[in-house]
Amino acid sequence: MGDKDATRTSGVGSPARPVRLTRLLFNAYNTEHAVYGIVLVTTLVAVGWHFDTDGEVLIFIVGTVGVFWLTHVYAAVVASRNSAEGRAVPIGRAIGAAAGHSIGMLLAMLLPSVALATATFGWVDEYVAYYIALWIGVLTLAVIGWVNSERNHGTWAMRLLSTLITTAFGLAVIWLSSLVH
């Protein structure tokens, strides 16, 4: 087994923790809830930075995303209490499944929140932190576009095109969302 293989597997052919964690995180970020969260957080940063301090924007983002996440969990639980066989799904299992399915929405706010927190603690100028938080959202959408094309065995040109289209639509939705806020 080569050095490269040793970093990818541990034990009897099972993936190593870093590879599994990376895959788990990307899969959580690559859901409709996470993409919605990325757009929501980036919009909140774009709108909030003109009116509030970095700390206030950070609190607003955490509160807003938390409420939207709870709303998604609530809606999923209410709408999915029946199994495919027509039997009632236990409430605990329904809540767990809904929370797990929508966890990407919470993950979407982590990196922008860290960027804003650096300004809150005075480590970075607030405008620098705002721009970093904004670009994190845009770059995350770009990475999702690239990796999805790669998963579909797209050529290098198709990966680039997918990245550009995903990013452009993301920017358009962020811009439209900021207009209504």
Side-chain angles (χ1 to χ4, degrees), residues 12-30:
V12 185
S14 64
R17 289 183 197 261
V19 172
R20 279 188 287 189
L21 180 61
T22 303
R23 195 172 299 138
L24 179 69
L25 280 173
F26 182 76
N27 287 339
Y29 267 96
N30 194 27

Side-chain angles (χ1 to χ4, degrees), residues 19-172:
V19 172
R20 279 188 287 189
L21 180 61
T22 303
R23 195 172 299 138
L24 179 69
L25 280 173
F26 182 76
N27 287 339
Y29 267 96
N30 194 27
T31 65
E32 67 274 11
H33 292 95
V35 172
Y36 176 82
I38 292 165
V39 170
L40 175 64
V41 169
T42 307
T43 300
L44 294 174
V45 172
V47 171
W49 79 308
H50 295 293
F51 306 109
D52 298 322
T53 67
D54 43 2
E56 291 169 334
V57 173
L58 178 59
I59 291 168
F60 181 61
I61 287 170
V62 171
T64 302
V65 172
V67 168
F68 275 75
W69 179 74
L70 284 173
T71 303
H72 279 265
V73 171
Y74 167 72
V77 169
V78 169
S80 68
R81 288 299 311 277
N82 284 329
S83 68
E85 298 83 27
R87 291 184 305 220
V89 175
I91 189 75
R93 186 178 306 152
I95 292 170
H101 181 70
S102 61
I103 197 74
M105 187 180 292
L106 294 178
L107 288 175
M109 76 173 164
L110 287 181
L111 292 176
S113 294
V114 168
L116 292 172
T118 61
T120 302
F121 295 125
W123 299 337
V124 175
D125 180 71
E126 77 175 39
Y127 290 107
V128 172
Y130 286 128
Y131 281 111
I132 290 171
L134 287 170
W135 281 108
I136 285 171
V138 173
L139 291 174
T140 303
L141 293 172
V143 168
I144 290 171
W146 177 275
V147 173
N148 281 338
S149 183
E150 183 178 51
R151 282 183 171 175
N152 291 318
H153 308 291
T155 63
W156 186 87
M158 288 306 295
R159 292 175 191 176
L160 183 58
L161 181 62
S162 176
T163 301
L164 293 173
I165 290 170
T166 303
T167 305
F169 276 123
L171 284 170

